[in-house]
Amino acid sequence: MAEMKQIHEFAAKWCDKFRDQNINYIELVDHYMADDCAALGFEMDCGHAFTEKYGDAASNSDALDRIIDDVDDIPLLGSAIYSQWRYFNHWAYSGAEILEPQNRAWFILALSRLALLTGDNPFIFQGKPHKIRIVSNNICYGPPPEPEDEVEQHITINAEGRVWFSAYSFGRGFGQYQKARNQIYKIDKAVADKVLNSVASYFSGEYDELFATDIGDWVMEITNTEGTVYKFRGSLCANFEVDGIDLSDLIRDALGMNDLYVFDGNNKPDRVERITVDYHRVTKIKPKQPFSETMEYVTWDYTEKLILDRESETLEHIQNIGSGCMVSRKYYVQDGVENLLDDIDAEELFGNIERNPDDVIENPLETQEYAITIDFKKGLRRVIQGTYDKKALPEAWGDFADAVWDFICFYGFGEILDPSVYGKVKRRKQDYIYCSVEFDEGYKSYYYIADDDSINVGDHVIVPVGKDNHHSIAEVVKIEFFSEEDVPLPLDKTKHIIRKCTDDDFDPPEVK
């Protein structure tokens, strides 16, 4: 049996090959892997020993994934890898089947486990990052790119803030790319530290690998301060996040380059940064008594503005009701406005406008107009404008308006002027709690006594009803406190609330 170091190097080398999206299947099924297995003393037994212990895991990636952490016999695992290779080399209909996602996944799982059993995990970063290098290639299946099309980008960032960037066009084809852009510059050290530490943090733990065969790929090297290089690769559709921040976006922002491929190919929908809605109504009002012979109408010039801003995390609504009269409301909600903007698909929301036919009848005494301005993270500002009516507004305007209205209503208008707050009387120890309740589709309220101090107006409760005291759901619409001598109904003739409602009361389980 070979030394652990040799087995570890074998596992790391071949695992990296199976992770390489651009590798030719011949390199995997030719004799090279078998030569390495034989040199390490692994036996090729067609997987019999591994199957006897772990069943389908000898050839099925999902089954292997379920038991891989239990595998600790190095010769047995080496034998399984050798035997699985032999299947594709000798028995499979085509050796190219070894590249299918489920088969790649099996070898990556097995080889990663073998590497972990014989040394440090080569695919988990350790130490303090000194430098990262990312090569992103966006060539996918389909017609070949034009010679001038940009297909590959190289980025290097070190701990001092130095940045090396180069981009390559397709040129004369694979292996003959031509350099199209080149930049060497420096960013703030604190910014570089954040990028390096965020990337290192993500790849310092277990992470999901996504391999797709119809898109581009990325390869990254992270070098720690001791000079050890860790290599990672994947498909150009990865969404890696650290503390809610997308790593691809973090690198684009740090380098000031919005067109970088990085890990995701820069194919995500553009992000809405700010939406401004301007509304303008002009109404001519004819007074009963004219102000003068030359002034037949009074003009009411009314405007509103709605602003959703990601940077300040605010929603602001401003009304200019008239000269000397302005009303504004501003909401700062951490993550709230950001989530509201994230849920907006600007293309869908503001895309289709039916528009009014030519023969619509306009009101000569009133005009209503709007303008919607959308600022994107990467794209150009977009402005939509027209008359403020159903057919001239974007088709999905109602969905947007409902979302904003729900957001505003959720936070309400406070409690200072709320009569249910300032009009509430505190209960004395000897007081009884009389709740007025209403039943569905009822127009009359009924008194019930509550023994639960936590019941509030708006709660739904279970109450006894009728001579048989069957249970029914009712809504509490009013709560009052009375001393024994002042109760509105005699205590012995007033029924008691049984309890508050639960979800099961509204959706009871089906009776089988």
Side-chain angles (χ1 to χ4, degrees), residues 3 67 101 148 182 228 339 399 473 477:
E3 293 182 1
I67 59 91
E148 67 276 7
N182 185 61
T228 305
N339 291 335
D399 295 333
I473 296 175
V477 296

Side-chain angles (χ1 to χ4, degrees), residues 433-439 444-450 463-464 478-482 486-489 493-497:
I433 307 172
Y434 272 70
C435 296
S436 297
V437 306
E438 290 182 359
F439 298 92
K444 184 178 179 182
S445 62
Y446 301 85
Y447 274 126
Y448 281 83
I449 295 174
V463 296
K478 188 177 181 181
I479 297 176
E480 299 170 272
F481 306 130
F482 297 101
D486 294 327
V487 293
L489 288 175
K493 293 185 178 180
T494 307
K495 297 179 180 181
H496 288 242
I497 292 174

Side-chain angles (χ1 to χ4, degrees), residues 265-285:
N266 202 23
N267 290 320
K268 291 181 296 196
D270 202 354
R271 192 173 78 179
V272 176
E273 294 293 308
R274 181 182 173 98
I275 295 179
T276 304
V277 182
D278 289 289
Y279 170 76
H280 186 197
R281 174 174 57 79
V282 177
T283 305
K284 292 181 179 180
I285 303 170

Side-chain angles (χ1 to χ4, degrees), residues 217-276:
D217 67 331
W218 57 268
V219 178
M220 179 176 63
E221 293 179 351
I222 309 178
T223 306
N224 66 17
T225 51
E226 296 178 356
T228 305
V229 179
Y230 295 82
K231 196 170 184 178
F232 307 87
R233 61 172 77 239
S235 297
L236 208 58
C237 57
N239 293 312
F240 300 141
E241 286 192 0
V242 173
D243 297 330
I245 299 173
D246 184 276
L247 291 183
S248 294
D249 286 339
L250 176 65
I251 293 172
R252 292 186 191 105
D253 291 342
L255 272 53
M257 302 175 71
N258 288 327
D259 60 349
L260 296 179
Y261 302 148
V262 203
F263 305 115
D264 62 9
N266 202 23
N267 290 320
K268 291 181 296 196
D270 202 354
R271 192 173 78 179
V272 176
E273 294 293 308
R274 181 182 173 98
I275 295 179
T276 304

Side-chain angles (χ1 to χ4, degrees), residues 241 243-246 271-273 308-315 331-344 407:
E241 286 192 0
D243 297 330
I245 299 173
D246 184 276
R271 192 173 78 179
V272 176
E273 294 293 308
L308 287 78
D309 184 71
R310 184 184 297 273
E311 183 178 3
S312 62
E313 297 190 85
T314 57
L315 182 153
Y331 301 81
Y332 166 73
V333 183
Q334 190 173 22
D335 298 330
V337 174
E338 181 178 5
N339 291 335
L340 188 59
L341 288 170
D342 283 342
D343 290 339
I344 293 171
F407 182 92

Side-chain angles (χ1 to χ4, degrees), residues 190-201:
V191 175
D193 284 342
K194 183 174 182 180
V195 170
L196 294 179
N197 290 330
S198 295
V199 172
S201 172

Side-chain angles (χ1 to χ4, degrees), residues 183-406:
Q183 280 184 270
I184 300 175
Y185 58 104
K186 192 169 185 178
I187 60 176
D188 188 81
K189 187 177 184 303
V191 175
D193 284 342
K194 183 174 182 180
V195 170
L196 294 179
N197 290 330
S198 295
V199 172
S201 172
Y202 186 88
F203 291 95
S204 293
E206 292 188 3
Y207 57 93
D208 292 328
E209 287 187 305
L210 179 62
F211 291 102
T213 58
D214 56 348
I215 57 176
D217 67 331
W218 57 268
V219 178
M220 179 176 63
E221 293 179 351
I222 309 178
T223 306
N224 66 17
T225 51
E226 296 178 356
T228 305
V229 179
Y230 295 82
K231 196 170 184 178
F232 307 87
R233 61 172 77 239
S235 297
L236 208 58
C237 57
N239 293 312
F240 300 141
E241 286 192 0
V242 173
D243 297 330
I245 299 173
D246 184 276
L247 291 183
S248 294
D249 286 339
L250 176 65
I251 293 172
R252 292 186 191 105
D253 291 342
L255 272 53
M257 302 175 71
N258 288 327
D259 60 349
L260 296 179
Y261 302 148
V262 203
F263 305 115
D264 62 9
N266 202 23
N267 290 320
K268 291 181 296 196
D270 202 354
R271 192 173 78 179
V272 176
E273 294 293 308
R274 181 182 173 98
I275 295 179
T276 304
V277 182
D278 289 289
Y279 170 76
H280 186 197
R281 174 174 57 79
V282 177
T283 305
K284 292 181 179 180
I285 303 170
K286 189 171 185 177
K288 292 182 180 179
Q289 297 294 328
F291 289 103
S292 67
E293 293 180 359
T294 59
M295 191 174 181
E296 184 179 2
Y297 295 98
V298 176
T299 300
W300 182 7
D301 194 334
Y302 173 85
T303 65
E304 282 186 45
K305 184 184 286 287
L306 177 69
I307 304 168
L308 287 78
D309 184 71
R310 184 184 297 273
E311 183 178 3
S312 62
E313 297 190 85
T314 57
L315 182 153
E316 189 170 10
H317 181 225
I318 305 166
Q319 294 173 271
N320 280 299
I321 297 171
S323 178
C325 182
M326 184 185 79
V327 177
S328 67
R329 304 172 187 88
K330 191 169 186 176
Y331 301 81
Y332 166 73
V333 183
Q334 190 173 22
D335 298 330
V337 174
E338 181 178 5
N339 291 335
L340 188 59
L341 288 170
D342 283 342
D343 290 339
I344 293 171
D345 183 338
E347 291 301 320
E348 179 183 342
L349 187 56
F350 300 116
N352 187 45
I353 299 176
E354 183 178 350
R355 303 197 183 283
N356 286 308
D358 295 335
D359 61 349
V360 294
I361 300 172
E362 302 287 356
N363 183 352
L365 299 180
E366 186 171 81
T367 60
Q368 293 171 286
E369 297 177 334
Y370 75 90
I372 303 170
T373 304
I374 311 168
D375 292 304
F376 296 94
K377 179 178 176 64
K378 294 179 287 188
L380 297 175
R381 169 179 285 183
R382 185 175 177 187
V383 179
I384 308 166
Q385 53 192 5
T387 56
Y388 196 79
D389 54 79
K390 182 175 178 61
K391 291 190 176 181
L393 281 161
E395 194 172 87
W397 170 255
D399 295 333
F400 172 77
D402 287 345
V404 174
W405 178 249
D406 289 344

